[in-house]
Coordinates of all heavy atoms in Angstrom, one line a residue:
M1 N -11.9 -3.0 -25.3 CA -10.5 -2.6 -25.2 C -10.5 -1.1 -25.2 O -11.2 -0.4 -26.0 CB -9.8 -3.2 -26.4 CG -8.3 -3.2 -26.3 SD -7.5 -4.1 -27.6 CE -7.5 -5.7 -26.9
R2 N -9.6 -0.6 -24.3 CA -9.5 0.9 -24.2 C -8.1 1.3 -24.3 O -7.2 0.6 -23.9 CB -10.1 1.3 -22.8 CG -11.6 1.2 -22.7 CD -12.0 1.4 -21.3 NE -13.5 1.3 -21.2 CZ -14.3 2.3 -20.9 NH1 -13.8 3.5 -20.6 NH2 -15.6 2.1 -20.8
V3 N -7.9 2.6 -24.7 CA -6.5 3.1 -24.8 C -6.4 4.3 -23.8 O -7.3 5.1 -23.6 CB -6.3 3.7 -26.2 CG1 -4.9 4.3 -26.3 CG2 -6.4 2.6 -27.2
R4 N -5.2 4.4 -23.2 CA -4.9 5.5 -22.4 C -3.5 6.1 -22.8 O -2.6 5.3 -23.3 CB -4.8 5.1 -20.9 CG -6.1 4.9 -20.3 CD -6.1 4.8 -18.8 NE -5.3 3.7 -18.3 CZ -4.1 3.8 -17.7 NH1 -3.6 5.0 -17.4 NH2 -3.4 2.7 -17.3
V5 N -3.3 7.4 -22.7 CA -2.1 8.0 -23.0 C -1.6 8.7 -21.8 O -2.3 9.5 -21.2 CB -2.1 9.0 -24.2 CG1 -0.8 9.7 -24.4 CG2 -2.6 8.3 -25.5
D6 N -0.4 8.4 -21.3 CA 0.2 9.1 -20.2 C 0.9 10.3 -20.7 O 2.1 10.2 -21.2 CB 1.1 8.1 -19.4 CG 1.7 8.7 -18.2 OD1 1.6 9.9 -18.0 OD2 2.3 7.9 -17.4
L7 N 0.3 11.4 -20.5 CA 1.0 12.6 -21.1 C 2.2 13.1 -20.3 O 3.0 13.9 -20.7 CB -0.1 13.8 -21.1 CG -1.2 13.6 -22.2 CD1 -2.2 14.6 -22.1 CD2 -0.5 13.5 -23.6
D8 N 2.4 12.5 -19.1 CA 3.6 12.8 -18.4 C 4.8 12.1 -19.0 O 5.9 12.5 -18.8 CB 3.5 12.3 -16.9 CG 2.5 13.2 -16.1 OD1 2.4 14.4 -16.5 OD2 2.0 12.7 -15.1
R9 N 4.5 11.0 -19.8 CA 5.6 10.3 -20.5 C 5.7 10.7 -21.9 O 6.8 10.6 -22.5 CB 5.3 8.8 -20.4 CG 5.2 8.2 -19.0 CD 5.0 6.7 -19.0 NE 6.2 6.0 -19.5 CZ 6.9 5.2 -18.7 NH1 6.5 4.9 -17.5 NH2 8.0 4.6 -19.2
C10 N 4.6 11.1 -22.6 CA 4.7 11.4 -24.0 C 5.7 12.5 -24.3 O 5.7 13.6 -23.6 CB 3.3 11.9 -24.5 SG 3.2 12.5 -26.2
Q11 N 6.5 12.3 -25.3 CA 7.5 13.3 -25.7 C 7.3 13.8 -27.1 O 8.2 14.4 -27.7 CB 8.9 12.7 -25.5 CG 9.3 12.3 -24.1 CD 9.4 13.6 -23.2 OE1 10.0 14.6 -23.6 NE2 8.8 13.5 -22.0
G12 N 6.2 13.4 -27.7 CA 5.8 14.0 -29.0 C 6.5 13.3 -30.2 O 6.8 13.9 -31.2
H13 N 6.8 12.0 -30.1 CA 7.4 11.2 -31.2 C 6.4 11.0 -32.3 O 6.9 10.7 -33.5 CB 7.9 9.9 -30.7 CG 9.0 10.0 -29.7 ND1 10.3 10.4 -30.1 CD2 9.1 9.8 -28.4 CE1 11.1 10.5 -29.0 NE2 10.4 10.1 -27.9
S14 N 5.1 11.1 -32.1 CA 4.1 11.0 -33.2 C 4.0 9.7 -33.9 O 3.4 9.6 -34.9 CB 4.3 12.1 -34.2 OG 4.2 13.4 -33.7
R15 N 4.7 8.7 -33.4 CA 4.5 7.3 -34.0 C 3.1 6.8 -33.9 O 2.6 6.1 -34.8 CB 5.5 6.4 -33.4 CG 6.9 6.7 -33.7 CD 7.9 5.6 -33.3 NE 9.2 6.0 -33.4 CZ 10.3 5.3 -32.9 NH1 10.1 4.1 -32.4 NH2 11.5 5.8 -33.0
C16 N 2.5 7.2 -32.8 CA 1.1 6.8 -32.6 C 0.2 7.3 -33.7 O -0.6 6.6 -34.3 CB 0.6 7.2 -31.2 SG 0.8 8.9 -30.9
Y17 N 0.3 8.6 -34.0 CA -0.5 9.2 -35.1 C -0.1 8.6 -36.4 O -1.0 8.3 -37.2 CB -0.2 10.7 -35.1 CG -0.8 11.4 -36.2 CD1 -2.2 11.6 -36.3 CD2 0.0 12.0 -37.2 CE1 -2.7 12.2 -37.4 CE2 -0.6 12.6 -38.3 CZ -1.9 12.7 -38.4 OH -2.5 13.4 -39.5
A18 N 1.1 8.3 -36.7 CA 1.5 7.7 -37.9 C 1.0 6.3 -38.1 O 0.6 5.9 -39.2 CB 3.0 7.7 -38.1
L19 N 0.9 5.5 -37.0 CA 0.5 4.1 -37.1 C -1.0 3.9 -36.9 O -1.6 3.0 -37.4 CB 1.2 3.3 -36.1 CG 2.7 3.2 -36.3 CD1 3.4 2.6 -35.1 CD2 3.0 2.3 -37.5
A20 N -1.7 4.9 -36.2 CA -3.1 4.7 -35.9 C -3.8 6.1 -35.9 O -4.2 6.5 -34.9 CB -3.3 4.0 -34.6
P21 N -3.9 6.7 -37.1 CA -4.4 8.1 -37.1 C -5.9 8.1 -36.8 O -6.4 9.2 -36.6 CB -4.2 8.5 -38.6 CG -4.0 7.2 -39.4 CD -3.4 6.2 -38.4
E22 N -6.6 7.0 -36.8 CA -8.0 7.0 -36.4 C -8.2 7.0 -34.9 O -9.3 7.2 -34.4 CB -8.8 5.8 -37.0 CG -8.9 5.9 -38.5 CD -9.4 4.6 -39.1 OE1 -8.7 3.6 -39.2 OE2 -10.6 4.6 -39.4
V23 N -7.1 6.7 -34.2 CA -7.1 6.6 -32.7 C -6.5 7.8 -32.1 O -6.9 8.3 -31.1 CB -6.5 5.3 -32.3 CG1 -6.6 5.2 -30.7 CG2 -7.1 4.1 -32.9
F24 N -5.4 8.3 -32.7 CA -4.5 9.3 -32.1 C -4.4 10.5 -33.1 O -4.3 10.4 -34.3 CB -3.1 8.8 -31.9 CG -3.0 7.6 -31.0 CD1 -3.0 6.3 -31.5 CD2 -3.0 7.8 -29.6 CE1 -2.9 5.2 -30.7 CE2 -3.0 6.6 -28.8 CZ -2.9 5.4 -29.4
D25 N -4.4 11.7 -32.5 CA -4.1 12.9 -33.2 C -2.9 13.5 -32.4 O -2.5 12.9 -31.4 CB -5.2 13.9 -33.2 CG -5.1 14.9 -34.3 OD1 -4.1 15.0 -34.9 OD2 -6.1 15.7 -34.4
V26 N -2.3 14.6 -32.9 CA -1.3 15.3 -32.1 C -1.9 16.7 -31.8 O -2.5 17.3 -32.7 CB 0.0 15.4 -32.8 CG1 0.7 14.0 -32.8 CG2 -0.1 15.9 -34.2
D27 N -1.6 17.2 -30.6 CA -2.1 18.5 -30.3 C -1.2 19.6 -30.9 O -0.2 19.3 -31.5 CB -2.4 18.7 -28.8 CG -1.1 18.6 -28.0 OD1 0.0 18.8 -28.6 OD2 -1.2 18.4 -26.8
D28 N -1.5 20.9 -30.6 CA -0.7 22.0 -31.2 C 0.7 22.0 -30.7 O 1.6 22.6 -31.3 CB -1.4 23.3 -30.8 CG -2.7 23.5 -31.5 OD1 -2.9 22.8 -32.5 OD2 -3.5 24.3 -31.0
D29 N 1.0 21.3 -29.6 CA 2.4 21.2 -29.1 C 3.1 20.0 -29.5 O 4.2 19.7 -29.1 CB 2.4 21.3 -27.5 CG 1.8 22.6 -27.1 OD1 2.2 23.7 -27.7 OD2 1.0 22.7 -26.1
G30 N 2.4 19.1 -30.3 CA 3.0 17.9 -30.8 C 2.8 16.7 -29.9 O 3.4 15.6 -30.2
Y31 N 2.0 16.8 -28.9 CA 1.8 15.6 -28.0 C 0.6 14.9 -28.4 O -0.3 15.4 -29.1 CB 1.7 16.1 -26.5 CG 3.0 16.7 -26.0 CD1 3.1 18.1 -25.8 CD2 4.1 16.0 -25.7 CE1 4.2 18.7 -25.4 CE2 5.3 16.5 -25.3 CZ 5.3 17.9 -25.1 OH 6.5 18.5 -24.7
A32 N 0.5 13.6 -28.0 CA -0.6 12.8 -28.4 C -1.9 13.2 -27.9 O -2.0 13.7 -26.7 CB -0.3 11.3 -27.9
A33 N -2.9 13.2 -28.7 CA -4.3 13.5 -28.3 C -5.2 12.3 -28.7 O -5.1 11.8 -29.9 CB -4.8 14.7 -29.0
L34 N -5.9 11.7 -27.7 CA -6.7 10.6 -28.0 C -8.0 11.0 -28.7 O -8.7 11.9 -28.2 CB -7.0 9.9 -26.7 CG -7.4 8.4 -26.6 CD1 -6.3 7.6 -27.4 CD2 -7.4 8.0 -25.2
L35 N -8.3 10.3 -29.8 CA -9.6 10.6 -30.5 C -10.8 9.8 -30.0 O -11.9 10.2 -30.3 CB -9.3 10.4 -32.0 CG -8.3 11.3 -32.7 CD1 -8.1 10.8 -34.1 CD2 -8.8 12.7 -32.6
I36 N -10.5 8.7 -29.4 CA -11.6 7.8 -29.0 C -11.6 7.6 -27.5 O -10.6 7.0 -27.0 CB -11.5 6.5 -29.7 CG1 -11.6 6.7 -31.2 CG2 -12.6 5.5 -29.2 CD1 -11.5 5.5 -32.1
E37 N -12.6 8.0 -26.8 CA -12.7 7.8 -25.4 C -13.6 6.5 -25.2 O -14.6 6.4 -26.0 CB -13.4 9.0 -24.7 CG -12.6 10.3 -24.8 CD -11.3 10.3 -24.0 OE1 -11.2 9.4 -23.1 OE2 -10.5 11.1 -24.3
G38 N -13.4 5.7 -24.3 CA -14.2 4.5 -24.1 C -13.7 3.4 -25.0 O -12.6 3.3 -25.4
D39 N -14.7 2.4 -25.2 CA -14.3 1.2 -25.9 C -13.9 1.5 -27.4 O -14.6 2.2 -28.1 CB -15.4 0.2 -25.9 CG -15.6 -0.4 -24.5 OD1 -14.7 -0.4 -23.7 OD2 -16.8 -0.8 -24.2
L40 N -12.8 0.8 -27.8 CA -12.4 1.0 -29.2 C -13.3 0.1 -30.1 O -13.6 -1.0 -29.7 CB -11.0 0.4 -29.3 CG -9.8 1.3 -28.9 CD1 -8.5 0.5 -29.1 CD2 -9.7 2.6 -29.8
P41 N -13.6 0.6 -31.3 CA -14.2 -0.3 -32.3 C -13.2 -1.4 -32.6 O -12.0 -1.2 -32.6 CB -14.4 0.6 -33.5 CG -14.3 2.0 -33.0 CD -13.4 2.0 -31.8
T42 N -13.7 -2.6 -32.9 CA -12.9 -3.8 -33.1 C -11.8 -3.6 -34.1 O -10.6 -4.0 -33.9 CB -13.7 -5.0 -33.5 OG1 -14.8 -5.2 -32.5 CG2 -12.9 -6.2 -33.5
H43 N -12.1 -2.9 -35.2 CA -11.1 -2.7 -36.3 C -10.0 -1.8 -35.9 O -9.0 -1.7 -36.6 CB -11.8 -2.3 -37.6 CG -12.3 -0.8 -37.5 ND1 -13.4 -0.4 -36.8 CD2 -11.8 0.3 -38.1 CE1 -13.5 0.9 -37.0 NE2 -12.6 1.3 -37.8
L44 N -10.1 -1.1 -34.8 CA -9.0 -0.2 -34.4 C -8.2 -0.8 -33.2 O -7.2 -0.2 -32.8 CB -9.6 1.2 -33.9 CG -10.3 1.9 -35.0 CD1 -10.8 3.3 -34.5 CD2 -9.3 2.2 -36.2
E45 N -8.5 -2.0 -32.8 CA -7.7 -2.6 -31.7 C -6.3 -2.9 -32.1 O -5.4 -2.6 -31.4 CB -8.4 -3.8 -31.2 CG -9.7 -3.5 -30.5 CD -10.4 -4.8 -30.0 OE1 -10.0 -5.9 -30.4 OE2 -11.5 -4.7 -29.4
A46 N -6.1 -3.5 -33.3 CA -4.8 -3.8 -33.8 C -3.9 -2.6 -34.0 O -2.8 -2.5 -33.5 CB -4.9 -4.7 -35.0
P47 N -4.4 -1.6 -34.7 CA -3.6 -0.4 -34.8 C -3.3 0.3 -33.5 O -2.1 0.8 -33.3 CB -4.5 0.6 -35.7 CG -5.4 -0.3 -36.4 CD -5.6 -1.5 -35.5
A48 N -4.2 0.3 -32.5 CA -3.9 0.9 -31.2 C -2.8 0.1 -30.5 O -1.9 0.7 -29.9 CB -5.1 0.9 -30.4
Q49 N -2.8 -1.2 -30.6 CA -1.8 -2.1 -30.0 C -0.4 -1.9 -30.7 O 0.6 -1.9 -30.0 CB -2.2 -3.5 -30.1 CG -3.3 -3.8 -29.1 CD -3.8 -5.3 -29.2 OE1 -4.1 -5.8 -30.3 NE2 -4.0 -5.9 -28.1
L50 N -0.5 -1.7 -32.0 CA 0.8 -1.4 -32.7 C 1.4 -0.1 -32.3 O 2.6 0.0 -32.1 CB 0.5 -1.4 -34.2 CG 1.6 -1.3 -35.2 CD1 2.5 -2.5 -35.1 CD2 1.2 -1.1 -36.6
A51 N 0.5 0.9 -32.1 CA 1.0 2.2 -31.7 C 1.6 2.1 -30.3 O 2.7 2.6 -30.0 CB -0.1 3.2 -31.7
A52 N 0.9 1.4 -29.4 CA 1.5 1.2 -28.1 C 2.8 0.5 -28.1 O 3.7 0.9 -27.3 CB 0.5 0.4 -27.2
A53 N 3.0 -0.5 -28.9 CA 4.2 -1.2 -29.0 C 5.4 -0.4 -29.6 O 6.5 -0.7 -29.3 CB 4.1 -2.5 -29.8
N54 N 5.0 0.7 -30.3 CA 6.0 1.5 -31.0 C 6.3 2.8 -30.4 O 7.1 3.6 -30.9 CB 5.6 1.6 -32.5 CG 5.9 0.4 -33.3 OD1 7.0 0.3 -33.8 ND2 5.0 -0.5 -33.4
C55 N 5.6 3.1 -29.3 CA 5.9 4.4 -28.6 C 7.2 4.3 -27.8 O 7.3 3.5 -26.9 CB 4.7 4.8 -27.7 SG 5.1 6.2 -26.7
P56 N 8.2 5.1 -28.2 CA 9.5 4.9 -27.5 C 9.4 5.3 -26.0 O 10.3 4.8 -25.3 CB 10.4 5.9 -28.2 CG 9.7 6.3 -29.5 CD 8.2 6.1 -29.2
E57 N 8.4 6.0 -25.6 CA 8.3 6.4 -24.2 C 7.4 5.5 -23.4 O 7.2 5.7 -22.2 CB 7.8 7.9 -24.1 CG 8.6 8.9 -24.9 CD 10.1 9.0 -24.5 OE1 10.4 8.7 -23.4 OE2 10.9 9.3 -25.4
R58 N 6.8 4.5 -24.1 CA 5.9 3.6 -23.4 C 4.7 4.4 -22.8 O 4.3 4.1 -21.6 CB 6.6 2.7 -22.4 CG 7.6 1.8 -23.0 CD 6.9 0.6 -23.6 NE 7.8 -0.4 -24.2 CZ 8.1 -0.5 -25.5 NH1 7.5 0.3 -26.3 NH2 8.9 -1.4 -25.9
A59 N 4.3 5.4 -23.5 CA 3.2 6.3 -22.9 C 1.8 5.8 -23.2 O 0.9 6.3 -22.7 CB 3.4 7.7 -23.6
I60 N 1.7 4.8 -24.1 CA 0.4 4.3 -24.5 C 0.1 2.9 -23.8 O 0.9 2.0 -23.8 CB 0.3 4.1 -26.0 CG1 0.6 5.5 -26.7 CG2 -1.1 3.6 -26.4 CD1 0.8 5.4 -28.1
T61 N -1.1 2.8 -23.2 CA -1.5 1.6 -22.6 C -2.8 1.2 -23.3 O -3.7 2.0 -23.4 CB -1.8 1.8 -21.1 OG1 -0.6 2.4 -20.5 CG2 -2.1 0.5 -20.4
V62 N -2.9 -0.1 -23.6 CA -4.1 -0.7 -24.2 C -4.6 -1.7 -23.2 O -3.9 -2.6 -22.8 CB -3.9 -1.3 -25.6 CG1 -5.2 -1.9 -26.1 CG2 -3.3 -0.3 -26.5
E63 N -5.8 -1.5 -22.7 CA -6.4 -2.4 -21.7 C -7.6 -3.1 -22.2 O -8.4 -2.6 -23.0 CB -6.8 -1.5 -20.5 CG -5.7 -0.7 -19.9 CD -6.2 0.3 -18.9 OE1 -7.4 0.8 -19.1 OE2 -5.5 0.6 -18.0
E64 N -7.8 -4.3 -21.7 CA -9.0 -5.1 -22.0 C -10.2 -4.5 -21.3 O -10.1 -3.9 -20.2 CB -8.9 -6.5 -21.5 CG -7.9 -7.3 -22.3 CD -8.3 -7.6 -23.8 OE1 -9.5 -7.6 -24.0 OE2 -7.4 -7.7 -24.6
Ligands
LIG101 FE1 3.7 10.6 -27.5 FE2 4.5 8.1 -27.9 FE3 2.7 9.2 -29.5 S1 5.8 9.8 -27.2 S2 3.2 11.3 -29.5 S3 2.5 8.8 -27.3 S4 4.4 7.8 -30.1

């Protein structure tokens, strides 16, 4: 499972960081920064999906 962030959509709501801080950080401008490139460790799949479901801009995609 992999995560992508569409920075054209991200508006800096930081819910991703709050819900899955092992997967997301925020950059100096407050936009999402992905901490994990490539396959997610299994224990981070659920937090990543939760973050994707809670991003108001639908900027996060979780793919198999
Ligand atoms: Fe951006 Fe959504 Fe996170 S708007 S900072 S990807 S909650």
Side-chain angles (χ1 to χ4, degrees):
M1 197 172 271
R2 291 172 179 245
V3 177
R4 286 191 298 115
V5 176
D6 183 347
L7 290 175
D8 290 334
R9 298 182 73 115
C10 176
Q11 296 295 315
H13 294 288
S14 297
R15 292 190 192 174
C16 51
Y17 172 68
L19 292 167
E22 293 173 283
V23 181
F24 303 94
D25 200 354
V26 289
D27 67 16
D28 291 342
D29 296 319
Y31 297 107
L34 203 52
L35 294 174
I36 298 176
E37 302 290 344
D39 288 337
L40 280 176
T42 306
H43 72 286
L44 296 180
E45 291 179 356
Q49 289 175 313
L50 186 64
N54 282 275
C55 173
E57 307 299 334
R58 297 284 183 255
I60 300 168
T61 307
V62 181
E63 303 170 327
E64 292 293 333

